[in-house]
Amino acid sequence: MRGEARSFAAVRKDRAADIDRWLTDLFRTAALRPYAREGGSGGKGGLSEERGPAAPHGIGPAVGGGVNGTNGIGGIALVAVGSLGRGELAPGSDLDLVLLHDGREDVGRIADRIWYPIWDSGIGLDHSVRTVEEAVKVAREDLKAVLGLIQARHVVGDPELTRAAREAVLAEWRADSRRRLAELRASADKRAEASGELAFLLEPDIRDSRGGLRDVQAMQAVAAAWVASAPGPRVREAYELLLDIRHGLHLVTARGTDRLVLQEQDAVAGTLGLLDAEALMRRLAEAGRTVSHAFDATWRTVDRLLTGPAPRGRRPLADGVVEHGGEVVLARGVSPRTDPTLVLRAAAAAAEAGLPLAPATVSTLAAQSPPLPVPWPPEARGALVALLGAGRAAVPVWEELDQAGVLVRLIPDWERVRHRPQRNPVHRYTVDRHLIETAAGAAAFTREVSRPDLLLISALLHDIGKGWPGDHSTTGEIVARDIGTRMGLSPADVDILATVVRHHLLLPETATRRDLDDPVTISRVAEAVGSRQVLELLSALAVADGNATGPAAWNSWKASLVSDLVRRVRSVLSGTPPAPAPVLSPEQAALARHGGGAVRVNGSAVTVVAPDRPGLLWRAAGVLAAHRMAVRSASAASAGATAVIEFVVVPEYGTPPDPATLEADLRLVLAGRLDIEQRLARRARSMRPSRVPVAPPRVTLLDDASNTASVVEVRAHDRPGLLWRIGRAFGECGLDVRAARVETLGAEAVDVFYVADRTGRPILDEQQRMQVRERVLAALR
């Protein structure tokens, strides 16, 4: 797999053995060697005797040999718990040790002689000194303690003490499993809520995220209670990979961290012999989903065993498929070998019933189902549509098929997007999970479109091109044609599917980055869409795609813009004349009566209505930046001689500024009585530059996007005052911003401006276009 990482497990094993030998010598020195003189037994002061043997390799030279028995030392034992107890000690791991004793009076002095050399070595230490009875009592109430002692490993001393402690703790863990496993589950849920899901995080916590190391250890604890089986070979393999990644992370950072941040991912990939961060995060996603899937299955087993058996009857769900014991299983006498559609029919039945497929059933279907004929028979396509149409209930069933390797046999191109990370804060899921989440979301719109089957299939395939080089919409169109043909769609339906996949970003990108009052915008969209049927599919897909992407990708502002665009394009496709020029809403008209300009602040919404004049947008944006307000979106347009700017803002940190003060400063700027540049300059001097490398900004003049203005698209890393700097650069070039669409996606700003020169015309001179680009780029540096 991975070069150096091949030996990481061996390195951990060797290091644990070195630590054991060192601890053995420390223990023997502490328990057998006479004290130089009396010293304190409880604190770090008053101990003047020899500190004991040096630490092992990596901290000091390895020494000594192990002690298998008591070597004459009775009534005391040193026990390893945590990562050392499991033999999984990473380079930055702490030592977790318990000194067990039978009540001997000199235990404090022995403990000091063991703990002090460890502290001196610089290794982190979590330690305790307890009798067997004390250890059992603590384990009874402390979840962390009991999980450690369940997997405690004897290092040196009296093995009977270690055995007695482990057996007593395990006996109580099993006897009280109903309460303790509920406690373990609550702890896992709390940890997952705080740390997120490993497979889908941009910077995951390898230990605490859902699907991480702690979840495997929780499954091992469930197995120790004799309630469910121990993790199987696939989970153990995933666990070893997580340990290796954590090992590499410790090497790269030279500290015991568990969070895999962006700037370390390429280096960690190198320690594992992987090509780059992309390859690393894909392997990590696969491991995390394997663990999460097994974790969920473990808790279903726990629930069944602890809550009592489910009703024993068999309820038919579909042809050859029944419910039994709260799971979906195959009917008696049914074999997948002669029914290639059965796997999809069973999956659809499970999703529609809101029940899981039984693990044994999934294994049988995966092992015995023959390939579907190509093209698919109609009943197979119908079962797929029924599965996707179940909405949210389809997601766990889809994951079951994926974990069993069924999906890549049904849709071979799925392999290219499987576990593929999207290293972008806007996206919350890997590509494949995003696709099924989008399809699940699209199920809510099936009654609003004439072809719900094509909506669900196009939602499932809209990003399938991300598994190939180039623009994913372009490559996705080609792949979708192949898959649609494979599924048995008619040539006309394949054309619709390919068109929807090709243009799945058309509506949201146009709505947020183009002037919808420009006739060219609407005609271009209508030409690309071609029919009302495709338009309604794209409209529903835009909502489902945005919601499945994440909160930064979809909000009420974007939804309203897309809805407005769809309405205008529908009119054009129906032969209705274009909508007239926009007029002010009643609320905006009321604000405009103030004459010199008016401002309204309503929570995160800031509306500015004023006589239209050059520089209005960027001056207003400057005031917001000076008040520590980050612009998340902005829309600027003119209605006659009046300009209307709608901002959506959030405070950069802390509480929002006083709305009255913000309004007052905006009015002063509109009246030309406030120099905002000085305030922003002071802010800029007080800010620390980002230490995280970001991609360089890009400024593009888009041809043929408008007949009446030049369209400038700016993509840059978002930072305070960005919109003000861009607008000022336009002003220095003698340009007026006629309309704007400003959007912040995570940490990236995607801003589009419709600009014209002082005569109201677009920029045609190539030298002037180059000057605009250079001025804006200079303002962004």
Side-chain angles (χ1 to χ4, degrees):
M1 155 190 148
R2 37 189 205 264
E4 284 184 42
R6 185 187 61 79
S7 62
F8 277 179
V11 169
R12 290 191 292 272
K13 183 177 179 180
D14 290 346
R15 185 164 185 259
D18 283 348
I19 294 286
D20 278 3
R21 286 192 290 270
W22 178 46
L23 293 175
T24 295
D25 281 357
L26 288 176
F27 181 88
R28 292 171 61 188
T29 299
L32 296 177
R33 185 172 299 173
Y35 290 94
R37 64 183 182 190
E38 291 297 317
S41 62
K44 284 193 176 186
L47 189 69
S48 60
E49 66 269 19
E50 179 184 339
R51 294 288 191 181
H57 181 68
I59 303 159
V63 295
V67 173
N68 296 321
T70 64
N71 275 18
I73 306 171
I76 191 166
L78 188 62
V79 178
V81 296
S83 57
L84 179 61
R86 295 185 299 270
E88 300 165 357
L89 205 64
S93 297
D94 294 343
L95 301 185
D96 293 325
L97 299 171
V98 179
L99 190 62
L100 291 173
H101 65 100
D102 61 0
R104 53 188 289 172
E105 296 180 357
D106 61 345
V107 68
R109 290 175 178 168
I110 294 174
D112 281 346
R113 282 196 166 195
I114 298 172
W115 308 150
Y116 271 101
I118 299 174
W119 285 322
D120 289 346
S121 73
I123 305 178
L125 174 65
D126 187 357
H127 62 90
S128 59
V129 179
R130 294 189 177 111
T131 64
V132 170
E133 293 75 15
E134 289 169 343
V136 173
K137 181 179 179 181
V138 170
R140 196 173 294 141
E141 302 301 330
D142 187 322
L143 185 64
K144 180 182 177 182
V146 72
L147 294 178
L149 288 168
I150 283 173
Q151 296 183 315
R153 182 172 59 81
H154 181 74
V155 177
V156 62
D158 189 343
E160 286 302 308
L161 286 177
T162 305
R163 181 193 58 77
R166 286 191 77 248
E167 289 183 356
V169 168
L170 275 168
E172 291 209 2
W173 177 252
R174 290 162 182 158
D176 198 16
S177 60
R178 185 179 298 273
R179 177 181 72 87
R180 299 315 300 270
L181 292 181
E183 183 184 359
L184 179 63
R185 179 62 183 270
S187 173
D189 289 345
K190 184 177 180 180
R191 189 174 65 247
E193 183 179 355
S195 300
E197 190 153 1
L198 179 75
F200 309 128
L201 291 169
L202 200 62
E203 297 184 328
D205 187 309
I206 298 167
R207 185 183 65 171
D208 288 341
S209 295
R210 188 175 191 277
L213 295 168
R214 285 277 175 87
D215 279 355
V216 179
Q217 292 155 16
M219 286 188 277
Q220 292 167 341
V222 173
W226 293 343
V227 173
S229 300
R234 290 187 68 240
V235 176
R236 292 197 297 272
E237 182 181 355
Y239 186 65
E240 285 298 322
L241 176 64
L242 296 180
L243 289 174
D244 284 349
I245 293 173
R246 185 174 183 239
H247 193 130
L249 180 60
H250 285 196
L251 291 177
V252 167
T253 60
R255 56 192 177 91
T257 182
D258 296 308
R259 184 167 296 280
L260 183 59
V261 298
L262 279 168
Q263 57 263 39
E264 311 291 1
Q265 290 172 8
D266 277 312
V268 173
T271 69
L272 273 70
L274 298 173
L275 180 63
D276 54 19
E278 175 90 6
L280 170 71
M281 299 308 287
R282 190 167 188 175
R283 293 292 304 276
L284 184 64
E286 182 175 11
R289 288 168 79 172
T290 298
V291 171
S292 290
H293 177 262
F295 187 77
D296 290 340
T298 294
W299 287 107
R300 285 200 298 271
T301 302
V302 171
D303 291 341
R304 284 198 303 273
L305 293 177
L306 296 186
T307 59
R312 303 298 295 174
R314 286 174 171 257
R315 178 170 67 96
L317 297 176
D319 182 20
V321 183
V322 299
E323 174 192 352
H324 177 65
E327 296 179 322
V328 173
V329 301
L330 300 181
R332 292 189 178 97
V334 171
S335 171
R337 299 182 190 279
T338 57
D339 187 354
T341 307
L342 181 59
V343 62
L344 283 172
R345 196 163 66 247
E352 290 176 329
L355 295 171
L357 285 164
T361 298
V362 176
S363 298
T364 299
L365 290 168
Q368 299 182 13
S369 294
L372 274 170
V374 178
W376 289 9
E379 55 268 27
R381 193 167 58 254
L384 173 66
V385 171
L387 168 60
L388 301 178
R392 291 295 315 158
V395 176
V397 177
W398 192 264
E399 284 283 318
E400 289 280 356
L401 299 182
D402 178 69
Q403 288 292 321
V406 171
L407 294 183
V408 294
R409 297 208 300 270
L410 293 172
I411 309 173
D413 287 293
W414 194 260
E415 179 64 38
R416 297 186 72 98
V417 295
R418 189 169 182 257
H419 306 307
R420 182 174 291 276
Q422 306 197 72
R423 304 186 70 211
N424 184 321
V426 174
H427 284 274
R428 72 174 97 182
Y429 296 119
T430 53
V431 177
D432 58 334
R433 180 60 178 266
H434 169 73
L435 291 175
I436 184 59
E437 291 282 346
T438 302
F445 299 96
T446 52
R447 288 189 171 90
E448 300 179 18
V449 298
S450 61
R451 290 295 303 272
D453 56 336
L454 292 181
L455 171 62
L456 294 171
I457 295 173
S458 62
L460 182 69
L461 301 179
H462 73 279
D463 275 349
I464 197 72
K466 287 186 175 178
W468 300 82
D471 180 275
H472 78 279
S473 297
T474 304
T475 55
E477 176 186 8
I478 299 169
V479 178
R481 283 189 181 278
D482 290 343
I483 296 175
T485 302
R486 180 186 186 88
M487 289 180 175
L489 292 173
S490 68
D493 286 350
V494 169
D495 286 342
I496 293 173
L497 173 65
T499 300
V500 172
V501 171
R502 173 68 180 87
H503 294 298
H504 71 273
L505 294 176
L506 178 65
L507 297 184
E509 287 191 346
T510 301
T512 56
R513 301 175 192 177
R514 297 293 181 270
D515 182 5
L516 302 190
D517 296 324
D518 192 321
V520 172
T521 298
I522 307 304
S523 64
R524 290 280 168 79
V525 174
E527 182 182 355
V529 168
S531 70
R532 294 188 62 176
Q533 185 180 59
V534 170
L535 179 65
E536 68 181 12
L537 292 173
L538 287 172
S539 177
L541 179 55
V543 181
D545 186 17
N547 284 325
T549 298
W554 194 255
N555 50 45
S556 59
W557 169 76
K558 182 177 286 188
S560 65
L561 291 176
V562 169
S563 178
D564 184 23
L565 173 60
V566 170
R567 177 183 58 81
R568 295 174 188 240
V569 174
R570 186 185 295 118
S571 296
V572 170
L573 292 172
S574 301
T576 305
V583 297
L584 297 181
S585 68
E587 295 81 5
Q588 293 168 344
L591 286 174
R593 294 189 191 104
H594 287 266
V599 176
R600 174 170 293 167
V601 179
N602 184 13
S604 62
V606 178
T607 304
V608 177
V609 180
D612 196 8
R613 61 180 184 272
L616 186 63
L617 170 67
W618 59 270
R619 286 188 171 88
V623 174
L624 295 173
H627 281 269
R628 298 185 293 101
M629 302 299 288
V631 176
R632 287 287 171 258
S633 64
S635 175
S638 298
T642 303
V644 179
I645 308 174
E646 299 279 358
F647 293 101
V648 175
V649 298
V650 295
E652 292 171 15
Y653 53 85
T655 57
D658 176 45
T661 303
L662 181 59
E663 288 186 19
D665 279 356
L666 282 166
R667 290 193 179 97
L668 287 173
V669 163
L670 297 179
R673 293 162 50 198
L674 177 63
D675 183 1
I676 203 65
E677 186 167 355
Q678 288 186 350
R679 290 194 186 183
L680 290 174
R682 285 197 299 270
R683 280 210 66 198
R685 287 194 295 270
S686 65
M687 292 179 61
R688 293 181 179 178
S690 173
R691 296 181 179 179
V692 179
V694 297
R698 190 177 72 193
V699 177
T700 308
L701 275 76
L702 304 174
D703 295 320
D704 303 325
S706 173
N707 292 331
T708 59
S710 293
V711 181
V712 183
E713 182 183 81
V714 180
R715 293 173 177 256
H717 188 75
D718 191 34
R719 63 183 192 270
L722 180 69
L723 185 54
W724 177 79
R725 283 192 290 274
I726 295 171
R728 188 177 64 170
F730 286 140
E732 292 171 350
C733 294
L735 300 177
D736 182 26
V737 177
R738 294 290 185 83
R741 292 289 184 270
V742 174
E743 186 178 16
T744 303
L745 302 173
E748 293 299 303
V750 181
D751 303 342
V752 177
F753 304 89
Y754 285 70
V755 298
D757 62 19
R758 298 299 188 212
T759 66
R761 297 177 180 177
I763 314 164
L764 301 177
D765 180 72
E766 189 58 40
Q767 187 172 356
Q768 188 179 7
R769 287 162 62 92
M770 186 178 298
Q771 180 194 38
V772 170
R773 183 177 179 276
E774 290 175 351
R775 282 287 181 90
V776 174
L777 282 174
L780 297 174
R781 295 190 179 101

